[in-house]
Amino acid sequence: MLRHSAKPASSPLPSAVTVIEVIQRSAEFLARKGVDSPRLQAELLLAQVLKLPRMQLYLDFQRQLTPAEADHLRELIQRRGRREPLQHILGTTCFCGLEMAVNRHVLVPRPETELLAEAGWEFLRQLTPGDSGPRAVLDFGTGSGCLAVTLAVKCPDVHVTATDVSPDALAVAAQNAARHGVSDRIEFRESDGFAALPAGANFDLILSNPPYIPTLEIDTLQPEVRDFDPRAALDGGPDGLKFHRLLAGQATAFLAAGGRLMLELGDGQAAAVRESFEAENWIVEAIRPDYNQRLRIMIARRD
Ligand SMILES: C[S@@+](CC[C@H](N)C(=O)[O-])C[C@H]1O[C@@H](n2cnc3c(N)ncnc32)[C@H](O)[C@@H]1O
């Protein structure tokens, strides 16, 4: 007779297993599939299935999984084995300490982008309150809304306009704004570049993590990125700098006096990005390193 536990030959898990056994077997399976940090990934997926904090697993190593739990975990481990990002499987990620929903319509926010958010809120906090209403921020290419939502949470007196060419991404961003109670201070606009911004719109801070991967490099990236992040979130044109040039040329019209433009850029792009901005008469104030000491965050002004 077939027991409930009958499973395809490729399955990473046997039927009746304890917590410690599934962790070991799942980690081995994920390692064979080329997944980084396989044991951690297995633990996080198991914690999701058991609805426990990950550290609790260590207190429950001999607990036996129910058949339903084992089936659920098997499905998640197989997805991860196909290199679907952990964040897509969990449905969320953490950005600047805030939980953000993510799915295949948005770039999974990266740790280095937290440095851009931090530079943004440091700048906003030292501005004196405006005479003519709240300070205005533009998040160009908002994706999951991680930057827009974080700035609205960290700086309760700012109003954010968040744009993206993808309506599906804007839907995720709006969900994240609602999750963090800042929907009333973020205006979402579907826009190709600056096209949908009203003439005369003026921002104290424009920040963007634009697409910056050179088109032909996308297929060389790890499967989690290449196959699951939206192409439109990655593709920066032939040399990766299409959006930096667009911002250098067009952001001036939307920047308030004394304002700042803050951008993320790819490893090795700092000199070329600086050159594009200086050619358009920007003053490049700083290009800051990421956690690996690579120059990744540019801060520029007009005056
Ligand atoms: C690298 S992702 C950044 C997402 C998010 N801000 C973050 O830091 O995680 C770039 C975003 O720019 C958007 N985008 C691509 N082309 C665009 C365009 N022509 N106009 C506006 N947004 C665009 C993409 O849809 C994507 O959401």
Side-chain angles (χ1 to χ4, degrees):
M1 180 181 109
L2 273 180
R3 278 168 43 85
H4 168 86
S5 54
K7 58 193 184 300
S10 62
S11 171
L13 298 176
S15 49
V17 280
T18 61
V19 162
I20 184 66
E21 285 166 347
V22 284
I23 290 174
Q24 282 163 354
R25 288 170 197 266
S26 300
E28 283 162 17
F29 174 81
L30 294 178
R32 283 199 301 278
K33 297 289 179 183
V35 172
D36 283 344
S37 309
R39 176 160 174 142
L40 174 63
Q41 303 271 307
E43 289 179 3
L44 289 166
L45 289 170
L46 179 58
Q48 166 92 346
V49 166
L50 300 182
K51 300 184 176 59
L52 294 173
R54 181 171 72 93
M55 297 317 287
Q56 183 74 28
L57 300 175
Y58 285 77
L59 304 176
D60 259 343
F61 267 165
Q62 297 311 322
R63 169 179 166 178
Q64 192 105 19
L65 268 65
T66 66
E69 289 167 345
D71 283 349
H72 187 193
L73 180 66
R74 182 177 300 118
E75 182 206 323
L76 301 192
I77 293 286
Q78 281 177 332
R79 284 172 65 186
R80 189 68 190 93
R82 291 192 288 270
R83 306 297 294 270
E84 185 173 344
L86 178 77
Q87 297 88 341
H88 284 196
I89 301 172
L90 300 178
T92 61
T93 192
C94 184
F95 185 83
C96 293
L98 301 172
E99 193 173 66
M100 299 283 168
V102 290
N103 62 24
R104 64 194 171 84
H105 298 302
V106 299
L107 185 95
V108 173
R110 307 294 206 265
E112 55 272 22
T113 307
E114 294 180 330
L115 297 170
L116 178 60
E118 193 179 335
W121 83 62
E122 277 171 0
F123 172 70
L124 290 168
R125 284 177 177 174
Q126 51 85 49
L127 287 180
T128 48
D131 299 333
S132 52
R135 294 300 189 173
V137 176
L138 173 65
D139 175 16
F140 178 104
T142 195
S144 64
C146 57
L147 289 165
V149 170
T150 300
L151 290 187
V153 168
K154 300 277 184 189
C155 304
D157 58 348
V158 303
H159 183 276
V160 185
T161 300
T163 61
D164 206 290
V165 74
S166 158
D168 291 325
L170 288 169
V172 176
Q175 190 186 330
N176 283 321
R179 180 188 285 243
H180 293 290
V182 291
S183 304
D184 57 333
R185 286 187 295 110
I186 305 183
E187 180 191 340
F188 295 101
R189 260 179 199 262
E190 187 179 330
S191 182
D192 183 351
F194 289 95
L197 288 178
N202 217 237
F203 301 96
D204 299 290
L205 173 63
I206 298 177
L207 80 172
S208 182
N209 171 19
Y212 53 69
I213 311 289
T215 308
L216 293 178
E217 272 180 33
I218 295 176
D219 283 337
T220 69
L221 301 176
Q222 61 180 26
E224 285 85 345
V225 179
R226 181 190 69 208
D227 300 336
F228 293 94
D229 276 325
R231 284 265 150 163
L234 302 175
D235 193 345
D239 65 354
L241 299 177
K242 173 174 132 184
F243 287 94
H244 294 89
R245 279 193 288 271
L246 181 144
L247 286 153
Q250 296 186 22
T252 310
F254 298 95
L255 193 69
R260 294 290 184 282
L261 175 70
M262 300 189 180
L263 296 179
E264 184 169 320
L265 39 103
D267 186 17
Q269 294 178 338
V273 171
R274 176 190 281 276
E275 200 177 305
S276 314
F277 277 80
E278 288 179 345
E280 297 284 349
N281 298 318
W282 289 84
I283 299 162
V284 175
E285 228 176 47
I287 305 188
R288 295 187 183 168
D290 65 10
Y291 301 108
N292 296 314
Q293 301 313 312
R294 301 197 165 115
L295 296 173
R296 301 296 300 283
I297 308 292
M298 191 195 76
I299 303 176
R301 61 187 161 84
R302 299 296 300 183
D303 43 29

